[in-house]
Amino acid sequence: IVAGMVRDLIDFMLDTYCLLDQIPEDWDIPGLIDYGENHFLTPGRLKEEELRRLDRDELRQFLYEQVEVEYQAREAEMGEVIRDLERMVLLRTVDSKWMDHIDAMEMLRQGIHLRGYGQIDPLTAYQQEGYEMFESMVHSIREEVTMYVFKAQLSYEAPPETPQPLF
């Protein structure tokens, strides 16, 4: 699941920073690097000069490979604990974001009737805005889960010793 989320975020990065209708010289490679480093890549790993030599498909493949290397290093560092971390982060993030989404949809429902005054069909507006809010929530889940899985630092503490009985 996390691997799929990372792939979706890489596609989002390319759609945001390396638009198809732009020439490669106009791509926002520093923005792409910044976004990747904030969410799942080790800072300093990507070099702008190296990325500028790649076309869009090569860039996508290169980023997929870099994330795979990062994930394998993370897996080696954490061992099987990473599975528990992924599960915990995914469940907590989905739960939190879903609750926020439900609240936002309720607020939208309460105010949607005002669209009728603007000559907009309230049902169509509700469906469109609800869909956009849902897509935003899904994207937010992807970002938060990948960031925590790739960037969280775990520390281990020994359990407190139980006091020995005096008798």
Side-chain angles (χ1 to χ4, degrees):
I1 292 173
V2 173
M5 288 180 167
V6 172
R7 285 183 178 269
D8 290 342
L9 283 180
I10 289 173
D11 292 340
F12 167 79
M13 288 169 55
L14 292 173
D15 291 342
T16 303
Y17 300 105
C18 304
L19 300 173
L20 283 171
D21 58 349
Q22 283 182 324
I23 58 172
E25 290 78 22
D26 290 341
W27 289 349
D28 184 10
I29 298 295
L32 181 125
I33 292 170
D34 216 30
Y35 184 90
E37 288 177 350
N38 286 333
H39 289 87
F40 45 78
L41 295 172
T42 301
R45 186 176 195 86
L46 300 178
K47 304 291 183 232
E48 183 175 351
E49 309 80 43
E50 186 178 358
L51 298 182
R52 289 230 179 255
R53 286 182 254 152
L54 304 173
D55 68 25
R56 199 164 190 274
D57 290 332
E58 292 171 335
L59 185 55
R60 174 182 284 112
Q61 189 58 40
F62 179 76
L63 290 171
Y64 286 166
E65 291 167 3
Q66 293 301 308
V67 168
E68 183 65 30
V69 168
E70 292 274 342
Y71 187 79
Q72 288 175 357
R74 187 81 169 150
E75 204 170 29
E77 171 191 341
M78 297 180 73
E80 286 300 311
V81 174
I82 197 163
R83 301 291 171 257
D84 294 332
L85 174 68
E86 289 171 344
R87 190 177 308 108
M88 180 187 70
V89 166
L90 185 60
L91 290 174
R92 286 189 182 189
T93 303
V94 168
D95 183 52
S96 170
K97 299 291 182 182
W98 183 249
M99 295 300 287
D100 293 344
H101 178 70
I102 290 172
D103 293 341
M105 289 298 292
E106 178 61 24
M107 289 172 50
L108 176 63
R109 187 188 66 78
Q110 290 175 0
I112 201 68
H113 68 281
L114 299 173
R115 302 301 196 286
Y117 295 122
Q119 302 300 318
I120 298 171
D121 179 29
L123 178 60
T124 304
Y126 181 80
Q127 289 172 337
Q128 181 65 32
E129 290 180 40
Y131 177 76
E132 290 170 4
M133 290 167 60
F134 180 79
E135 287 296 314
S136 176
M137 177 199 64
V138 170
H139 179 74
S140 174
I141 289 171
R142 287 182 186 128
E143 284 184 327
E144 194 166 313
V145 167
T146 56
M147 186 177 67
Y148 278 115
V149 168
F150 280 87
K151 301 291 185 176
Q153 297 295 320
L154 300 180
S155 61
Y156 300 97
E157 289 184 19
E161 292 184 28
T162 50
Q164 298 294 328
L166 297 175
F167 301 101

